[in-house]
Amino acid sequence: MLRFFSRVSVSIQTRIKVKSPTRHRSLCSAAVRPASSSPGSIVQSRMEPKLYKPPPQVRGMTSLDKEAFTQTITVPALRVPTGVLNKVVKSLKKSTVQRPGVPRVVQDAEESSDFRLLLLDPHKVTSPSSFSEVEAEALRSFEVTKELQDYELHLTYDNLKSEEVLEAVLPLGQDVTTSFSRVGHIAHMNLRDHQLPYKNLIGQVIMDKNPGVTCVVNKTNMIDSTYRYFKMEVLAGEENMVAKVKENGVTYEFDFSCVYWNPRLSTEHQRIVQLVKRGDTVFDVFAGVGPFAIPAARFGANVLANDLNPESYRWLQHNCKLNKVESKVRTFNLDGRAFIQGPLKQELPALIKEKAGIHVVMNLPALALEFLDAFRGLLHLEAPSDENLPTVHCYGFSKEENPKMDMVQRASCSLGFPLEKGCSVHFVRNVAPNKDMLCVSFTVPKEVLFSSDPQQTESGEEPAPKRQKCEEST
């Protein structure tokens, strides 16, 4: 049985004490070594069986007191000859103590050079008969006696995982959040209301337990639809918001407090870029800091990238130079509609006469579908053609039971032309309960692009009622 002791120490060192006439002590923890996470990644810890039971006095703590988490527990140990130690450790790997900063092997009580002590998980090994048949056979083959000894293991804050600390602090029955988005040195959290009284403690724990994280922030409101960035509050660490991340082999730098960046879209960025071939032209209507535009340029495409946010525009230019593609990317600081009806309109007549592909990326999920009407009659002064028309990749959110159908209907309404048989819809990610992000891709119909009356649909009807229906459906 696992025995927990009420002794609390002011020392942050971990001590192992043999329950025998000879008492042995050794340092076994000075730092936490949790699994590392790369910049730009999404991190979510996993729970393990509870070797540690927190002292009750830490419940409700709002200011982190690391020493209050110190506790002494008793674990079983096996005395192993050094000659077969490595083989025994390998054979009993699943049964040994697994703790940040706690070694599985320590000096034995008699400090003999011929033996070492292998610490075992008391939840898995409570008696000599607890070993599996495979483990027992291994011990027999190595001539190791299955005689267990009790050891007192001194655990500190440094030996705990983030979820253990937070589970001990937050009121019983409340959700424990240890997940965050990693953006360079910044951990970006989205705390719930009941967690806000503990926000600074949570921030400190996340920073302590994740190497490389030097700043923890919390989103304080919903994303701004105009400039696409969150207002954030620093919970712990430095207030340096200029992050450096690497995604799909491309390096980006930006002020995270002023621009939009979501590491969860890495796969989607790559999916779209892989559709682009050398010599193609890409129009990125809502380019942000360049996660579509810059990789496309590196693949040999000609890119026109635009963003309304002055900060995004500045960092877009910076990242183009950083990745040495500034000669392949023309940047603009315009409203999306003005970009479509300006630079895109000017380039399109010559491009559709060529064979290279034309891609229009519209990644502003909250609003992008509403900008599709800018393609109506865009080239009404040009001779109609159905060759080499641009392909649009437009993103949106949906809360409908059939989100793909919803995306197609709203895109059709905005264009004033039915897309049901001429498009594909790709599921990107679930952003919240009952809310999905999707991408609808289609070739702009010639009936839309060359319409003589931008205000009319293919049948000549006014599109206003359809647009109103689209708005009602959202």
Side-chain angles (χ1 to χ4, degrees), residues 333-444:
N333 183 207
L334 301 170
D335 171 76
R337 191 177 302 277
F339 176 73
I340 294 172
Q341 296 177 340
L344 190 154
K345 179 180 179 178
Q346 294 169 10
E347 299 287 330
L348 208 50
L351 292 174
I352 60 178
K353 296 177 182 178
E354 300 175 0
K355 294 183 179 180
I358 309 167
H359 297 268
V360 182
V361 181
M362 302 176 68
N363 182 25
L364 183 61
L367 295 172
L369 290 168
E370 299 177 16
F371 285 77
L372 290 177
D373 63 356
F375 287 98
R376 293 179 181 174
L378 191 66
L379 300 183
H380 67 277
L381 297 179
E382 303 291 328
S385 171
D386 56 5
E387 296 182 5
N388 200 32
L389 297 175
T391 299
V392 172
H393 310 283
C394 185
Y395 293 83
F397 294 131
S398 178
K399 296 182 179 180
E400 300 300 315
E401 290 187 9
N402 189 332
K404 292 188 176 182
M405 181 182 296
D406 176 52
M407 284 287 291
V408 174
Q409 290 177 345
R410 289 160 59 198
S412 299
C413 286
S414 189
L415 280 176
F417 189 90
L419 291 175
E420 283 76 5
K421 297 181 180 180
C423 70
S424 63
V425 181
H426 175 78
F427 172 81
V428 178
R429 56 183 289 261
N430 177 256
V431 298
N434 302 316
K435 183 178 181 181
D436 294 336
M437 177 179 175
L438 304 100
C439 175
V440 56
S441 297
F442 59 91
T443 299
V444 181

Side-chain angles (χ1 to χ4, degrees), residues 113-385:
S113 60
D114 297 328
F115 290 91
R116 290 292 185 272
L117 304 171
L118 181 60
L119 304 185
L120 304 174
D121 187 335
H123 285 281
K124 299 175 182 177
V125 180
T126 59
S127 70
S129 61
S130 299
F131 294 109
S132 68
E133 292 184 8
V134 174
E135 291 173 333
E137 177 59 34
L139 293 176
R140 283 193 295 269
S141 67
F142 300 136
E143 298 183 349
V144 176
T145 303
K146 293 192 297 180
E147 182 178 339
L148 301 180
Q149 302 180 29
D150 284 344
Y151 282 82
E152 291 184 4
L153 181 60
H154 199 65
L155 296 177
T156 71
Y157 171 85
D158 290 341
N159 305 127
L160 306 181
K161 296 187 177 183
S162 56
E163 66 268 23
E164 292 178 307
V165 176
L166 299 181
E167 188 178 51
V169 169
L170 294 180
L172 287 172
Q174 291 193 0
D175 294 335
V176 175
T177 297
T178 58
S179 61
F180 58 88
S181 296
R182 181 76 182 266
V183 182
H185 65 283
I186 302 169
H188 175 213
M189 306 193 75
N190 186 10
L191 298 181
R192 299 181 181 180
D193 289 343
H194 71 268
Q195 297 162 339
L196 294 179
Y198 310 92
K199 60 185 180 181
N200 296 115
L201 182 145
I202 293 173
Q204 186 63 48
V205 171
I206 294 299
M207 190 168 67
D208 289 343
K209 302 297 182 180
N210 293 274
V213 171
T214 59
C215 175
V216 182
V217 300
N218 182 47
K219 181 177 69 174
T220 58
N221 68 347
M222 298 303 293
I223 188 171
D224 181 276
S225 295
T226 304
Y227 285 165
R228 295 201 306 165
Y229 65 85
F230 299 102
K231 290 184 178 180
M232 291 173 291
E233 175 187 13
V234 176
L235 304 182
E238 60 183 346
E239 295 192 16
N240 175 19
M241 291 291 110
V242 178
K244 182 176 183 178
V245 303
K246 195 163 188 177
E247 180 185 272
N248 300 325
V250 181
T251 300
Y252 302 91
E253 295 178 346
F254 48 83
D255 186 333
F256 187 51
S257 66
C258 297
V259 305
Y260 178 80
W261 180 268
N262 190 338
R264 292 183 174 89
L265 295 178
S266 171
T267 301
E268 181 61 15
H269 295 155
Q270 187 175 40
R271 183 184 74 89
I272 294 296
V273 171
Q274 288 177 342
L275 299 176
V276 178
K277 299 178 181 178
R278 180 175 295 277
D280 286 359
T281 297
V282 175
F283 295 94
D284 196 346
V285 184
F286 311 107
V289 300
F292 287 109
I294 293 173
R298 283 164 55 96
F299 276 19
N302 301 306
V303 180
L304 286 80
N306 171 74
D307 203 279
L308 177 63
N309 183 352
E311 281 295 307
S312 294
Y313 172 69
R314 182 169 74 87
W315 287 105
L316 171 63
Q317 292 181 314
H318 171 83
N319 289 322
C320 286
K321 293 178 181 178
L322 184 65
N323 291 280
K324 300 180 180 180
V325 294
E326 66 268 31
S327 63
K328 297 181 180 179
V329 182
R330 283 181 279 170
T331 58
F332 302 85
N333 183 207
L334 301 170
D335 171 76
R337 191 177 302 277
F339 176 73
I340 294 172
Q341 296 177 340
L344 190 154
K345 179 180 179 178
Q346 294 169 10
E347 299 287 330
L348 208 50
L351 292 174
I352 60 178
K353 296 177 182 178
E354 300 175 0
K355 294 183 179 180
I358 309 167
H359 297 268
V360 182
V361 181
M362 302 176 68
N363 182 25
L364 183 61
L367 295 172
L369 290 168
E370 299 177 16
F371 285 77
L372 290 177
D373 63 356
F375 287 98
R376 293 179 181 174
L378 191 66
L379 300 183
H380 67 277
L381 297 179
E382 303 291 328
S385 171

